[in-house]
Amino acid sequence: MSSLCACSAITQGTTQEIYVNTTPPDANCALQREGKVIARVEGTPSAALVAKTKHDIIITCEKDGYETATYYNKSGWESGSGAAGIALDVVFTAGLSSIIDSATGADNKYESPVNITMVPKQTAPKESASKQ
């Protein structure tokens, strides 16, 4: 019997660094999942370590003089966790490692790096001083 494991938890891990770049740099960003802040990036460009899950992450960045920018980072399948990986898992571990990977989120991956362009805040035009 083979002890080979096609397990993403072993090869890819259950955490991932998400690198956040903003234009302009030096923004502060919060990473939220299911309405809770799970990590912060203070002074972009920088990275945050997050647990991999099937739930998407919303990245919200702020910088003085700029509009708040939001990026939707969708949780997707880790490369190698597709049908071929599951088929090998069924052959070698009776599907056990796929069940573990799905439960731990190890078979998921977020986009990284993330590039966010921030828009300068618009200032209201000043009223003319000569009202007649």
Side-chain angles (χ1 to χ4, degrees), residues 5 7-13 101 106:
C5 178
C7 192
S8 292
I10 292 172
T11 61
Q12 303 296 326
D101 288 346

Side-chain angles (χ1 to χ4, degrees), residues 4 6 77 80-98:
L4 179 64
W77 275 45
S81 296
I86 292 170
L88 285 173
D89 176 41
V90 169
V91 169
F92 291 115
T93 69
L96 182 60
S97 69
S98 287

Side-chain angles (χ1 to χ4, degrees), residues 5-132:
C5 178
C7 192
S8 292
I10 292 172
T11 61
Q12 303 296 326
T14 58
T15 60
Q16 175 187 348
E17 275 194 322
I18 297 177
Y19 291 90
V20 181
N21 300 310
T22 60
T23 302
D26 296 321
N28 294 317
C29 305
L31 286 75
Q32 297 180 7
R33 183 170 39 218
E34 297 185 285
K36 296 177 184 162
V37 175
I38 58 167
R40 292 191 182 276
V41 172
E42 305 290 335
T44 57
S46 192
L49 184 66
V50 299
K52 294 193 275 184
T53 74
K54 64 181 178 181
H55 302 287
D56 301 333
I57 293 175
I58 296 173
I59 303 171
T60 305
C61 298
E62 296 180 336
K63 180 177 173 77
D64 287 341
Y66 290 83
E67 298 290 337
T68 299
T70 303
Y71 184 87
Y72 186 76
N73 198 340
K74 186 163 176 49
S75 176
W77 275 45
E78 177 74 50
S79 177
S81 296
I86 292 170
L88 285 173
D89 176 41
V90 169
V91 169
F92 291 115
T93 69
L96 182 60
S97 69
S98 287
I99 292 168
I100 292 169
D101 288 346
S102 184
T104 62
D107 58 351
N108 291 78
K109 184 176 182 179
Y110 297 100
E111 184 177 340
S112 182
V114 170
N115 298 301
I116 301 170
T117 300
M118 301 185 75
V119 177
K121 285 186 178 177
Q122 297 295 323
T123 56
K126 294 183 179 181
E127 289 187 35
S128 175
S130 59
K131 285 191 176 182
Q132 297 176 358

